[in-house]
Amino acid sequence: MAGSAPPVTRFAPSPTGFLHLGHAHSALFGWRRARQAGGRFLLRLEDIDPGRCRPDFADAILEDLAWLGLDWDGPVRVQSAHLSEYGAALQSLRARGLLYPCFCTRADIAREIAGSVAAPHGPDGPLYPGICRRLSAAEREARIAAGIPHAWRLDMAAALRAVPGALSFHEDGQGRLCCDPARFGDAVLARKDAPASYHLCVTHDDAVQSVTLVTRGEDLKPATDLHRLLQALMGWPEPAYAHHRLLTDAAGRRLAKRDRAATLRELRAAGTSPAEARALAGWPD
Ligand code: GLU
């Protein structure tokens, strides 16, 4: 934990669209927390999803943040340049028997859930019903050898057994909160179509970048339970957390990428100044 040292915070957008005022709020939140305390503010592009991320959005993010008046310390970390590091983390979990390959399609999972009496839900949706957890080692190997596409899932029960004691985290202004990672079930840590999942990459990178205060929207607060489990399994240091409120529009709806009028690009083209944009993002100077 950070103790009283100046915090290292970060903003970690995914380049799947242009930044909107909600992102500006988040970036300014992390930037202010660092700068007010003489700490460091890092920027990371979470671009591991090849189907949704685009280089032109990544360039636009840097440009829009600079226009907004933000600066960041050190080079921008671009996740797609670090795939072998996520692969090594996955390999370490696999070697300890904490991951298993999952060959299910979405349809397989939906069929299994439809036929079951109870279908528990977690923060990321319905829990995986464990179809591939029940495969024998020989069956797994045969399917991998046959080239059947597969994801890698965390064996949640095994992972919880591997971590001694209860997990918790320090939330800014709230103190220590208890974690219940089992709510995620056997979470996917490497997808069929992407080499690693958000949950794995974000915890890996917060560790290697020595982030001591994770600043992000409160929509991601439930994910912290799983992140603390991954940190404990991997021996990564525990950061503190500060989850901020989400900006909403006049109708009280959460701002999303589809609200084009709220992108920083549009505001800038319409003659909005950076100071006005900061105020619209909830941080008047
Ligand atoms: N890349 C994530 C997003 O754009 C944020 C990750 C995080 O801050 O933990 O939603």
Side-chain angles (χ1 to χ4, degrees), residues 26-241:
S26 193
L28 284 159
F29 179 84
W31 180 81
R32 291 168 60 105
R33 285 300 293 260
R35 294 287 178 254
Q36 280 168 354
R40 304 182 72 227
F41 174 69
L42 310 179
L43 182 58
R44 179 163 81 227
L45 294 174
E46 302 207 325
D47 64 341
I48 36 157
D49 185 340
R52 294 178 62 229
C53 296
R54 283 180 15 198
D56 52 326
F57 288 139
D59 294 341
I61 285 174
L62 306 192
E63 194 183 299
D64 290 350
L65 290 176
W67 172 78
L68 195 61
L70 269 83
D71 58 349
W72 48 89
D73 297 302
V76 178
R77 183 175 170 96
V78 180
Q79 287 192 328
S80 57
H82 297 274
L83 299 185
S84 61
E85 294 173 38
Y86 311 127
L90 287 165
Q91 185 49 42
S92 136
L93 293 169
R94 227 180 114 180
R96 289 146 69 194
L98 301 178
L99 299 187
Y100 63 87
C102 175
F103 307 89
C104 289
T105 60
R106 280 174 198 272
D108 293 334
I109 298 173
R111 207 176 312 114
E112 178 83 5
I113 288 177
S116 56
V117 216
H121 272 62
D124 285 350
L127 297 194
Y128 177 64
I131 308 165
C132 288
R133 195 191 325 116
R134 299 188 280 269
L135 295 177
S136 67
E139 181 64 32
R140 287 175 185 166
E141 273 162 38
R143 292 194 193 185
I144 290 175
I148 302 177
H150 54 280
W152 287 93
R153 288 184 181 274
L154 184 67
D155 183 333
M156 182 55 79
L160 290 172
R161 282 195 301 273
V163 169
L167 293 167
S168 63
F169 64 95
H170 186 273
E171 175 68 27
D172 204 54
Q174 292 181 25
R176 287 211 81 79
L177 303 179
C178 293
C179 295
D180 179 16
R183 292 191 299 150
F184 283 82
D186 291 355
V188 170
L189 294 194
R191 287 167 29 181
K192 281 182 188 171
D193 59 342
S197 74
Y198 156 68
H199 298 301
L200 183 80
C201 299
V202 82
T203 45
H204 176 278
D205 286 1
D206 285 335
V208 301
Q209 291 191 286
S210 304
V211 171
T212 59
L213 179 65
V214 171
T215 51
R216 60 184 177 195
E218 64 188 7
D219 54 328
L220 289 169
K221 194 172 176 188
T224 310
D225 290 16
L226 180 54
H227 297 176
R228 287 289 300 119
L229 174 61
L230 294 174
Q231 287 157 358
L233 289 172
M234 295 301 299
W236 290 329
E238 178 195 343
Y241 290 83

